Amino acid sequence: MSSADVARARPSAEDPELLRAGYPLPGLGRLAHRSTGPHAPPARDRLDLVLGPVRAALLRPARRRPSVSEAAGRAHITVSTATYHCDRLARSGLLRRLRHGREIRLCLTDDGAALLDLPA
């Protein structure tokens, strides 16, 4: 069978005998548009470009010592995702986590504050 015969054997989109069925796939839109959705905000400045938008969004409000859950809510991410990224920021010496009762509060280190104070 030649390639022309195979092409003729396939149904065409214009074929009136062709029946289509579709159904919604929850969450597929977030995967398809990950770069424009809330899970990956576009870079606003150099801090976003260097750290990534999620880590920059967690570092910026740390001057006010938010809880991890507060910071996660502002960054539009889950608490577990915030914890992961805060761990990386703490390892790099930009952030400290302080226990305050049942909450973990985020606190800038001197290096974190110096990074935020750089001109944009």
Side-chain angles (χ1 to χ4, degrees):
M1 188 181 268
S2 73
S3 61
D5 293 333
V6 171
R8 274 187 240 118
R10 289 187 201 155
S12 165
E14 291 82 30
D15 186 349
E17 297 295 315
L18 187 62
L19 180 64
R20 296 174 195 238
Y23 53 93
L25 296 172
L28 189 59
R30 282 195 312 263
L31 291 175
H33 306 323
R34 187 172 289 202
S35 63
T36 60
H39 298 284
R44 296 183 340 194
D45 57 20
R46 289 191 294 177
L47 188 64
D48 281 7
L49 293 172
V50 171
L51 295 178
V54 172
R55 291 183 186 168
L58 292 170
L59 195 63
R60 279 188 192 97
R63 289 186 198 275
R64 296 184 302 274
R65 295 189 177 196
S67 69
V68 173
S69 61
E70 290 168 348
R74 287 187 190 124
H76 305 288
I77 58 175
T78 64
V79 173
S80 61
T81 300
T83 300
Y84 170 83
H85 288 287
C86 287
D87 181 56
R88 299 309 181 270
L89 290 167
R91 282 179 166 181
S92 68
L94 300 175
L95 186 70
R96 286 185 304 138
R97 289 174 288 191
L98 305 171
R99 179 165 290 284
H100 187 263
R102 294 178 52 194
E103 295 180 327
I104 302 294
R105 296 268 174 192
L106 304 179
C107 179
L108 278 180
T109 63
D110 290 340
D111 288 345
L115 182 62
L116 287 178
D117 291 338
L118 288 174

